[in-house]
Amino acid sequence: MLQLQNIRENQETIITALKKRNIDAAPMISKVLELDEKRRSIQTELDATLAESNKISKEIGILFKTGKAQEANVLKEKTAGLKEASKKLGDDLNTTAEELQQQLYLIPNVPHESVPAGNSEEDNEEVFKEGDIPTLSDGALPHWELAKKYDIIDFELGVKITGAGFPVYKGKGARLQRALIAYFLDKNAEAGYTEMQVPLMVNEDSGYGTGQLPDKEGQMYHVQADDLYLIPTAEVPVTNLHRGDILAESDFPIKYTGYTPCFRREAGSYGAHVRGLNRLHQFDKVEIVRLEHPNNSYQALDEMVEHVKNILRELKLPYRILRLCGGDLGFTSALTFDFEVFSTAQDRWLEISSVSNFETFQANRLKLRYKDENGKSQLAHTLNGSSLALPRVLAGILENYQTDEGIKIPEVLVPYCGFDTID
């Protein structure tokens, strides 16, 4: 959520910056400023009414003490009117403040100056590419056919139990999945991230805190009886660990990692590009989250990007990094780098990680602050990244490591798997 004071002071700059997202934010900004002015006007009137009521109450006390009961009772009638007026003003203030809050929730984050203009993923900027794309034999298969051939993932069985998008991992497929999770967590821990196990359901406050609500409400599974949401990413519960906290500058950096299943409705996703592991309703992901001093957050973003690079180098998968354009940038992000692994059998790039800096956008919703050197409360910066999302990493391994004899396991994963080939 953008800071209200920043909107007041820099409305034209914000409107111009949000044009990178291909939106005209002027009506939303105008509505925010209108509601803010109304709220402040009501607050001023309420403060004056309460001050007048308090002043008269003191006068009443003095009049009673001096035996002037008749005059005191006249003033008491006046205070009754003031109390009624203050109650109405208080109700109006709460209603206006809630309208203002809901309007602020609708405005996306301001893109960083380095974000390129563009309308869609076609306009994202490739900033890095590494790894050799293997040459496969003419009989190379996509991962969903490999999964069936070697009996390691059963998509039909998942449909029987739950529905499409809920695969069942079997035998060496399940062990490879578990190996990847353990490997990612170990790599993150070695880099100074504290492992956290968090709930897989969150309340509404947590959803609003990290910006999934109201923006992504239609993509989240909602348990209506308990008003809880299944998490779409570990970012939500992990970042909310510090909702409402006031940190010391010495607490930075705060670095967490966590493994969770993730749940996404993926409404409207159809076609060949979502086959197999390409897009699921339930999938496993290891996340990294950082809370940073604003002066250090972009250095932290660079460190996170390098960290994910090193993991992919060890897996020896061909990958590239994209700087997302304004039209493809997530609602809460100021700057995002997407990692994509090349799926040789599908002849296409698959997104496996997004590494983002949200600056103060999430912290403002979370009321996540720190005390600066002058003892004043300031908003922290939050960042997160996938390290990594498993389905498409697994798809990349199955397809890029396939041979006539079977699927080779990346060398770094062999100690975790206990085998070096799926055959």
Side-chain angles (χ1 to χ4, degrees):
M1 188 168 65
L2 299 182
Q3 296 178 67
L4 188 52
Q5 183 175 346
N6 189 29
I7 294 175
R8 289 192 202 114
E9 296 173 355
N10 302 291
Q11 58 173 305
E12 292 304 324
T13 301
I14 291 171
I15 290 169
T16 299
L18 287 173
K19 287 180 180 177
K20 273 192 177 179
R21 291 181 174 273
N22 305 309
I23 63 170
D24 178 10
M28 289 188 291
I29 297 295
S30 177
K31 183 66 174 177
V32 162
L33 294 174
E34 177 188 322
L35 288 168
D36 179 45
E37 181 60 35
K38 181 180 177 181
R39 179 184 62 84
R40 289 194 288 172
S41 176
I42 295 171
Q43 184 70 65
T44 299
E45 188 177 353
L46 177 59
D47 290 345
T49 303
L50 291 173
E52 178 71 9
S53 181
N54 289 336
K55 176 186 173 185
I56 293 174
S57 293
K58 291 178 182 177
E59 291 177 4
I60 291 171
I62 294 171
L63 289 171
F64 274 124
K65 286 181 181 179
T66 56
K68 299 178 180 179
Q70 186 174 355
E71 294 178 39
N73 287 327
V74 171
L75 288 180
K76 282 181 72 176
E77 292 180 10
K78 186 175 182 180
T79 60
L82 289 171
K83 285 180 180 178
E84 185 176 334
S86 64
K87 182 182 183 306
K88 183 179 185 308
L89 287 168
D91 291 341
D92 290 346
L93 181 64
N94 291 335
T95 299
T96 304
E98 179 61 25
E99 287 180 22
L100 175 59
Q101 186 81 351
Q102 292 303 318
Q103 190 65 34
L104 284 167
Y105 281 145
L106 300 178
I107 303 174
N109 201 358
V110 172
H112 186 263
E113 59 185 11
S114 67
V115 171
N119 298 317
S120 68
E121 62 184 23
E122 302 300 322
D123 301 310
N124 293 335
E125 176 187 357
E126 184 179 298
V127 295
F128 189 82
K129 184 186 286 187
E130 188 172 65
D132 296 324
I133 296 174
T135 301
L136 301 180
S137 65
D138 291 339
L141 301 173
H143 68 268
W144 54 85
E145 293 187 22
L146 291 167
K148 186 172 185 178
K149 176 180 179 179
Y150 294 106
D151 196 26
I152 53 175
I153 307 172
D154 195 322
F155 295 99
E156 287 75 19
L157 194 54
V159 172
K160 173 185 176 181
I161 297 168
T162 308
F166 296 88
V168 174
Y169 298 85
K170 304 168 65 177
K172 287 187 174 181
R175 289 173 65 183
L176 177 55
Q177 182 89 337
R178 179 158 49 94
L180 281 164
I181 294 166
Y183 165 66
F184 292 154
L185 288 171
D186 284 352
K187 291 295 293 182
N188 296 343
E190 288 170 13
Y193 292 88
T194 301
E195 183 177 346
M196 307 293 282
Q197 274 198 356
V198 290
L200 304 183
M201 291 192 288
V202 294
N203 57 31
E204 188 176 73
D205 286 345
S206 295
Y208 273 95
T210 45
Q212 275 68 32
L213 296 175
D215 182 57
K216 295 289 189 295
E217 185 168 9
Q219 292 294 331
M220 296 173 71
Y221 286 99
H222 186 201
V223 184
Q224 294 185 349
D226 303 288
D227 198 20
L228 296 173
Y229 293 85
L230 290 171
I231 62 169
T233 166
E235 168 201 345
V236 181
V238 173
T239 309
N240 271 278
L241 292 171
H242 289 282
R243 172 156 46 92
D245 287 358
I246 299 179
L247 307 170
E249 284 188 297
S250 58
D251 291 329
F252 296 122
I254 295 174
K255 302 166 65 176
Y256 293 130
T257 185
Y259 152 69
T260 64
C262 303
F263 305 89
R264 299 183 187 178
R265 294 185 63 241
E266 297 289 4
S269 295
Y270 306 101
H273 68 289
V274 300
R275 287 193 67 180
L277 298 172
N278 288 348
R279 187 158 298 174
L280 302 174
H281 293 303
Q282 178 182 325
F283 62 95
D284 291 327
K285 183 153 68 85
V286 176
E287 199 81 357
I288 50 176
V289 170
R290 291 178 70 146
L291 311 182
E292 291 284 348
H293 190 286
N295 293 345
N296 301 327
S297 69
Y298 277 95
Q299 178 183 335
L301 182 66
D302 290 341
E303 291 173 6
M304 294 168 76
V305 168
E306 288 300 316
H307 177 66
V308 177
K309 276 185 184 179
N310 289 331
I311 292 176
L312 289 168
R313 284 176 183 140
E314 289 193 357
L315 289 173
K316 297 180 180 177
L317 287 171
Y319 71 94
R320 67 177 182 176
I321 303 175
L322 305 175
R323 190 199 315 265
L324 297 194
C325 71
D328 201 31
L329 194 65
F331 183 86
T332 55
S333 177
L335 177 61
T336 294
F337 292 100
D338 267 9
F339 283 74
E340 296 182 338
V341 66
F342 192 74
S343 166
T344 309
Q346 297 180 74
D347 192 29
R348 59 189 292 255
W349 293 95
L350 303 174
E351 180 197 332
I352 55 168
S353 174
S354 290
V355 182
S356 303
N357 188 347
F358 307 107
E359 297 184 355
T360 61
F361 193 83
Q362 288 183 332
N364 193 27
R365 289 171 171 241
L366 294 159
K367 294 183 170 54
L368 170 54
R369 295 152 292 177
Y370 69 95
K371 292 284 189 182
D372 66 16
E373 66 273 12
N374 300 314
K376 295 183 67 174
S377 290
Q378 306 287 351
L379 291 172
H381 278 197
T382 64
L383 305 93
N384 90 280
S386 310
S387 181
L388 290 161
L390 272 79
R392 293 173 182 174
V393 172
L394 185 58
I397 289 173
L398 296 179
E399 294 184 9
N400 290 327
Y401 277 84
Q402 64 179 300
T403 69
D404 293 338
E405 291 75 38
I407 300 167
K408 298 297 182 184
I409 299 299
E411 185 178 352
V412 72
L413 293 179
V414 171
Y416 290 91
C417 288
F419 55 86
D420 60 10
T421 306
I422 295 174
D423 53 19

